Amino acid sequence: MRPGSRTCREILDQGESWSATLGSLEEQSTGLRQLLHRPHREATFIGCGSTYFLSLAASTIWQAMTGVSARALPSSELWLFPELYRPAQPSLLVAVSRSGETTETLRALEMYRQQIGGDSLAITCDPASEMVGLASSRLVARNAAEESVAQTRSFTSMLLLAQLACALAADREDYLSQLNALPAFFPSLVKTYEPLARRLARDERLEHFVFLGSGPRYGLACEAMLKMKEMSLSPSEAFHFLEFRHGPKSTASKRTLVIGLLSESARDHEASVLSEMRQLGTKVLALAESAEGLPADEAIELRSGLDEQANLALFLPALQLLAYHRAVHKGLDPDRPANLDAVVRLPA
Ligand code: F1P
């Protein structure tokens, strides 16, 4: 089997996972609406690695949609330091895990049930996982689990589930229909930008990758950074857009590719960071609804016309392909990242 062939297929099949997952909401939402409509004072999203980054993105959307205070934590923080993170009651815990078997997430959920006692929702790809048995309710992504270690289609499909939960909690039919529009944009996005991802991945002048995002796009920037690290073992970092000026820019050089995931509402402020980085000699790849007027060497235009809180999943496929092609170009096998297991299970 060609190195990386599984990962490549999983990235390219992603649109089908989105359609299947979105299409399953009706059947999955019985009972869930009731749970999500309870008057929670706080929501806490937890996960590990990719699913922690997903939690970062989802918690900002939750707060914006519902007006209920929401935050994201690595599962280990909630498990090991419950007194530091005790949520206001009544509260909702949203545990996100592809496998539903990661020890830290299971321990955090158990601790939450025993010591805090609020509602909980599991978002996963595995309906038979231990996490599903521990939570009060569940949302399961369809056709989204991977054979590969690195999360690609599972990440975006579980992100969609978290966004669907936000729409249900806030009774936002308009947001639901925007989410349902996403799969239609996938094929042309991948077709148009796969060659760009491959070309940039093969550019040997580039050896440092910096991913920038604000709001929910910060979580996506972190996830894109993790893909680059896991698959291609390349030095990569993620920052909130404007934070990059506060120290990290000292590492910027002509060997750096700055990848900006632009919002609509803070676009001008974010663009000025990109412009500054170009002046420092970095190469800039901008991802935005439209690239018109952006200071970028290369651009990926989403052209979805969707709200900036709805179009999130569209930012990731090209960046997953960038990491995949970089790995293959370096002679690595993205299906088998170095030193990694698909699930981290800690001894009892
Ligand atoms: C979380 C995770 C993955 C990562 C790694 C180990 O798994 O951190 O994001 O790629 O291989 O596990 P899960 O709890 O979402 O199953």
Side-chain angles (χ1 to χ4, degrees):
M1 195 182 265
R2 185 171 51 84
S5 58
R6 286 200 182 104
T7 307
C8 183
R9 183 172 36 78
E10 288 158 357
I11 295 171
L12 299 177
D13 281 355
Q14 202 157 183
E16 288 153 37
S17 310
W18 297 358
S19 299
T21 298
L22 289 161
S24 72
L25 182 67
E26 192 68 29
E27 123 207 12
Q28 296 204 65
S29 60
T30 328
L32 182 62
R33 273 175 207 270
Q34 212 186 344
L35 177 104
L36 297 176
H37 281 135
R38 289 201 193 126
H40 301 119
R41 284 181 60 211
E42 190 167 353
T44 307
F45 288 72
I46 58 167
C48 297
S50 288
T51 41
Y52 166 55
F53 297 143
L54 193 161
S55 296
L56 284 173
S59 60
T60 63
I61 302 285
W62 185 274
Q63 178 147 342
M65 293 266 155
T66 64
V68 173
S69 165
R71 64 182 164 173
L73 295 171
S75 302
S76 56
E77 285 289 298
L78 186 63
W79 168 37
L80 300 175
F81 301 98
E83 69 287 358
L84 298 184
Y85 300 111
R86 196 165 284 280
Q89 289 289 33
S91 76
L92 173 69
L93 181 77
V94 183
V96 192
S97 171
R98 169 178 64 178
S99 62
E101 299 290 347
T102 297
T103 304
E104 290 129 279
T105 304
L106 295 177
R107 294 282 175 276
L109 191 46
E110 279 164 1
M111 183 288 298
Y112 179 82
R113 272 173 30 136
Q114 286 158 15
Q115 296 180 31
I116 297 172
D119 292 323
S120 53
L121 168 65
I123 294 183
T124 184
C125 293
D126 186 349
S129 61
E130 192 177 342
M131 181 176 76
V132 165
L134 291 172
S136 355
S137 195
R138 93 277 324 256
L139 275 171
V140 182
R142 299 290 152 90
N143 307 340
E146 290 99 358
E147 285 178 69
S148 309
V149 170
Q151 301 194 7
T152 52
R153 67 183 182 191
S154 66
F155 182 95
T156 48
S157 301
M158 290 188 291
L159 176 65
L160 286 181
L161 287 178
Q163 292 176 283
L164 289 172
C166 294
L168 291 183
D171 286 325
R172 287 279 304 269
E173 285 298 327
D174 58 319
Y175 188 55
L176 265 186
S177 42
Q178 292 206 43
L179 297 175
N180 279 312
L182 286 166
F185 296 104
F186 181 82
S188 65
L189 197 61
V190 166
K191 188 159 176 255
T192 311
Y193 293 111
E194 203 263 348
L196 171 63
R198 189 180 321 148
R199 179 161 53 77
L200 284 172
R202 290 178 177 175
D203 186 339
E204 290 183 359
R205 286 165 301 183
L206 300 172
E207 55 183 34
H208 174 214
F209 298 86
V210 172
F211 297 87
L212 303 178
S214 318
R217 282 161 194 74
Y218 173 64
L220 304 187
C222 292
E223 169 60 7
M225 170 278 289
L226 187 65
K227 292 309 84 155
M228 191 54 98
K229 254 186 201 144
E230 285 182 330
M231 289 191 215
S232 84
L233 314 183
S234 303
S236 53
E237 306 176 274
F239 299 97
H240 291 97
F241 245 106
L242 274 61
E243 278 295 298
F244 195 55
R245 289 196 182 102
H246 296 274
K249 74 170 183 182
S250 55
T251 62
S253 76
K254 60 180 184 342
R255 300 222 160 254
T256 306
L257 178 64
V258 174
I259 299 142
L261 285 69
L262 285 104
S263 66
E264 294 302 297
S265 46
R267 178 184 164 106
D268 292 349
H269 287 289
E270 294 167 346
S272 75
V273 176
L274 297 182
S275 168
E276 232 176 89
M277 293 315 128
R278 277 180 101 197
Q279 281 161 23
L280 291 178
T282 72
K283 190 163 185 162
V284 167
L285 166 65
L287 288 90
E289 272 292 321
S290 150
E292 214 181 307
L294 286 178
D297 301 288
E298 305 284 358
I300 293 177
E301 295 190 299
L302 308 183
R303 297 253 174 227
S304 72
L306 299 174
D307 189 276
E308 66 175 352
Q309 287 171 9
N311 69 3
L312 300 178
L314 299 177
F315 283 82
L316 284 172
L319 299 181
Q320 295 163 347
L321 285 168
L322 180 68
Y324 161 79
H325 282 301
R326 183 79 180 176
V328 171
H329 182 67
K330 286 175 79 173
L332 300 167
D333 181 356
D335 289 351
R336 289 193 205 94
N339 309 332
L340 287 183
D341 296 313
V343 185
V344 175
R345 289 189 173 88
L346 303 180

